[in-house]
Amino acid sequence: FFFFFLNFFIVASFIIFFTMFFGYAVLAIHKQKQMMWGYLATALVTLVGYIVFIPRFGVWGAAWMTVFSEIVVMLWTFFMVYKTINFWPKWLVVGKSLFASVVMFVVLYLVRDLHVLWLLLIAGVVYFGAKGLYGIGRDRSSIPYLRILKRKKPLARGAQGLCSSGRDGLLF
């Protein structure tokens, strides 16, 4: 039972991972105030969902509402970034990194009884080895998941440190 329950939160964590990419981009393009309305709307809808679904479905209602709220926030941040700078993810780069992650998972699963420090070392070697095998990271254009080009406004104060080069592009 507990294993299946945690799967919902693993999905939510996966979604939060992508939301963070777009969240930093929202900060860089100065759209925090518009995002506030998305967060508020999501919070209100989720609160109503918790009130409706928790009494009826218990823990499963709460889990589904958590996943729902994370999906809504991810879509809202993506929409805000897309609308402002016309960004679209490079799915080939994401797919190659996902492949490297799957290879790492399989290897770690096979040696799961080792000490955690060995597992961390093996994970790093296998992941970066798989990335190197398929040419991920060989040139600068394949490294970033997010590239913001043609900025109309200067970077937000403190965001200048996110630039990896002096060019006009912001690389994450």
Side-chain angles (χ1 to χ4, degrees):
F1 170 77
F2 188 69
F3 175 75
F4 294 114
F5 176 68
L6 283 179
N7 285 336
F8 288 102
F9 291 106
I10 290 170
V11 170
S13 297
F14 179 76
I15 295 165
I16 290 169
F17 174 76
F18 285 104
T19 303
M20 292 307 298
F21 279 125
F22 298 119
Y24 286 121
V26 166
L27 176 68
I29 61 175
H30 305 282
K31 294 293 184 181
Q32 301 93 312
K33 285 185 182 178
Q34 289 87 345
M35 278 304 301
M36 177 185 65
W37 297 110
Y39 287 128
L40 180 63
T42 303
L44 292 175
V45 169
T46 304
L47 179 64
V48 169
Y50 285 144
I51 292 170
V52 170
F53 292 116
I54 289 176
R56 185 169 180 178
F57 298 106
V59 126
W60 296 106
W64 277 110
M65 285 309 302
T66 300
V67 170
F68 166 79
S69 68
E70 295 303 333
I71 289 172
V72 170
V73 169
M74 180 186 67
L75 293 174
W76 187 263
T77 55
F78 174 77
F79 172 74
M80 185 65 63
V81 172
Y82 179 77
K83 185 178 92 171
T84 305
I85 62 169
N86 201 24
F87 166 76
W88 194 255
K90 294 181 179 180
W91 293 112
L92 181 62
V93 175
V94 173
K96 288 179 178 180
S97 295
L98 186 61
F99 171 77
S101 298
V102 168
V103 170
M104 179 188 68
F105 169 77
V106 169
V107 170
L108 288 177
Y109 184 78
L110 295 174
V111 296
R112 65 186 176 270
D113 295 328
L114 293 177
H115 190 273
V116 69
L117 294 177
W118 285 111
L119 292 174
L120 286 172
L121 178 67
I122 292 169
V125 169
V126 170
Y127 180 77
F128 290 111
K131 284 179 74 171
L133 180 68
Y134 281 93
I136 301 171
R138 286 192 185 148
D139 62 340
R140 289 181 58 83
S141 66
S142 66
I143 293 172
Y145 289 103
L146 180 62
R147 179 176 289 199
I148 301 173
L149 299 171
K150 300 177 185 171
R151 267 190 328 273
K152 294 182 176 145
K153 292 184 180 180
L155 289 174
R157 176 174 250 176
Q160 289 88 356
L162 297 175
C163 284
S164 65
S165 69
R167 299 182 310 204
D168 193 26
L170 174 62
L171 304 177
F172 285 89

